[in-house]
Amino acid sequence: MPALLQPLRFAWTATRGHHFRPWRSPLLRWRIETYSGIPADDVTLTVFLRFCWRERRELLRFLAWSAQMRAHRNRSRHPGLSAQAGP
């Protein structure tokens, strides 16, 4: 999957049931609360956008890491496709 689509894929998966209002997603609210200390009940659109902007570098780093983990998982499921697999 192209790198530009990774953030969209993660956002779609993480906001199940709240695709068009991600700040209402219980998973994202919980993640924001545990990462930043902002109470989950206080996460509104403004707080969500402010958090995303302030933590954009860390969020992009997380997305890159999750893409690596997904690729690693997929390689381990299909050993013949792995770079380490022999002839």
Side-chain angles (χ1 to χ4, degrees):
M1 175 174 288
L4 293 175
L5 296 180
Q6 286 296 331
L8 293 176
R9 181 179 184 169
F10 176 80
W12 191 258
T13 303
T15 60
R16 185 161 305 193
H18 302 278
H19 296 303
F20 301 109
R21 293 184 181 113
W23 60 94
R24 292 186 181 175
S25 165
L27 173 65
L28 290 184
R29 293 174 104 177
W30 172 76
R31 293 254 185 197
I32 290 171
E33 182 177 44
T34 57
Y35 181 81
S36 68
I38 300 169
D41 292 336
D42 294 348
V43 177
T44 62
L45 173 60
T46 306
V47 171
F48 179 78
L49 293 175
R50 192 175 297 141
F51 172 80
C52 289
W53 181 253
R54 187 179 65 236
E55 300 296 336
R56 63 189 177 277
R57 287 185 184 92
E58 288 298 315
L59 291 170
L60 290 172
R61 196 172 76 132
F62 168 76
L63 291 172
W65 173 82
S66 65
Q68 287 177 339
M69 294 298 106
R70 179 175 286 113
H72 177 70
R73 183 190 70 209
N74 290 341
R75 280 194 305 272
S76 66
R77 287 184 181 171
H78 306 287
L81 300 176
S82 175
Q84 293 86 14

